[in-house]
Amino acid sequence: MFITAITDCQDDNAINRMMTRALSLLDTGTFSGVTRLTSGLNRRAELEAAGNLVDILDASEGRPGIVMGNVAPRNGDAHDRWDNGTPFGYFRYRETLVVTTIDGAMLSLVKKLGIVDTINSIDMEKVVTDELDHTTISYAPGKILGSQFRSFDFLPRVAVHLYQHGDVTSIPKSLEGVPDVNNVIWWIDSFGNCKTTLTPEDIQHRPDEPIETEFGPIGYRYSLKSVPDGETALIVGSSGFKETRFLEIATQGGNAAKEISANVGDSVLL
């Protein structure tokens, strides 16, 4: 099995604590991975998380494992909407369990690609007080419920409990209310390629014809191999789910993000 964390926490101390707790609660060997996102104090982290969640589910192909997602700012709108950060929820894709914060754009691309259409919103107080067993919980429920570090005190515990014992008290919620993010950059990789939330079906465009974008006209070519040296183009990238891949803006032999001055969250098409 595997366990992966997608988190807006950039701090090695916090990440090591979170992953140690999760792995120590499991009674089987695991492979663990962590995707660090932009700070959760802005919307970029939500977009990055949305795309990474799709990519992890595509990579696992539904095999046994756990994905823990956490983007949970307490400032701005979240300060007034929630008592102590966004609720957590869970769903399963085949044998892969996903337990994640559910506010904002976190589930936008799961919704767009139709991976699931509902998520179970966890009743955190009920679960912590009555349902987590003594092997999973090691101190007073009140400390967990009031924690400022719920991705350490709550998320690994409920994820392992769900994986090992089945469901917990929750309410099924449709993803219909999850915001759409159909025309933005969600990730910039180490080469400067800009992964977008667009798919080839979204643009219905013929190769080699320029597309009007917020960065000026950009050619559309199916693969990076077909892009001439130094040219910036919209191509079918490697990220996505099953047969559906996201479009990327890439510069052959260069850094597209620098060439067009792009950032995560920027709109793509005019």
Side-chain angles (χ1 to χ4, degrees), residues 56-67:
I56 295 301
L57 291 173
D58 181 66
S60 75
E61 297 181 324
R63 295 184 178 90
I66 299 171
V67 182

Side-chain angles (χ1 to χ4, degrees), residues 45-245:
E46 295 176 18
L47 296 173
E48 292 173 349
N52 274 277
L53 178 55
V54 168
D55 271 356
I56 295 301
L57 291 173
D58 181 66
S60 75
E61 297 181 324
R63 295 184 178 90
I66 299 171
V67 182
M68 300 187 300
N70 183 71
V71 181
R74 291 176 174 84
N75 63 314
D77 292 344
H79 187 272
D80 299 321
R81 292 184 64 195
W82 313 113
D83 290 336
N84 188 26
T86 169
F88 288 89
Y90 68 96
F91 67 86
R92 292 179 174 86
Y93 170 67
R94 297 184 180 174
E95 294 183 77
T96 300
L97 168 70
V98 177
V99 189
T100 179
T101 50
I102 62 177
D103 196 19
M106 181 77 188
L107 299 168
S108 293
L109 295 179
V110 165
K111 169 191 169 183
K112 174 176 176 141
L113 300 185
I115 298 174
V116 295
D117 55 16
T118 60
I119 187 166
N120 299 297
S121 180
I122 296 171
D123 184 335
M124 185 172 172
E125 183 171 358
K126 173 72 173 174
V127 169
V128 170
T129 303
D130 298 332
E131 297 179 20
L132 294 184
D133 59 46
H134 69 280
T135 62
T136 304
I137 200 167
S138 56
Y139 40 75
K143 182 180 184 303
I144 297 174
L145 292 171
S147 173
Q148 70 172 33
F149 192 8
R150 299 179 309 156
S151 58
F152 172 66
D153 281 319
F154 177 68
L155 180 55
R157 288 186 164 102
V158 74
V160 170
H161 182 93
L162 283 163
Y163 189 80
Q164 294 179 335
H165 303 295
D167 296 332
V168 295
T169 299
S170 60
I171 300 173
K173 295 188 65 173
S174 169
L175 298 189
E176 287 184 2
V178 171
D180 295 322
V181 288
N182 291 328
N183 183 34
V184 295
I185 294 169
W186 67 263
W187 188 263
I188 296 175
D189 69 17
S190 60
F191 297 100
N193 300 325
C194 305
K195 298 177 185 286
T196 81
T197 60
L198 295 163
T199 67
E201 292 72 24
D202 289 328
I203 62 170
Q204 294 293 315
H205 203 77
R206 288 189 294 181
D208 302 325
E209 290 185 358
I211 298 173
E212 293 300 321
T213 78
E214 295 286 354
F215 312 102
I218 295 180
Y220 173 52
R221 298 177 183 272
Y222 186 78
S223 66
L224 184 59
K225 181 180 179 180
S226 62
V227 180
D229 286 351
E231 181 178 307
T232 298
L234 200 61
I235 65 170
V236 179
S238 62
S239 288
F241 187 72
K242 293 186 176 180
E243 293 80 14
T244 302
R245 298 287 131 181

Side-chain angles (χ1 to χ4, degrees), residues 12 34-35 55 164 238 254-255:
D12 283 339
V34 177
T35 300
D55 271 356
Q164 294 179 335
S238 62
N255 185 310

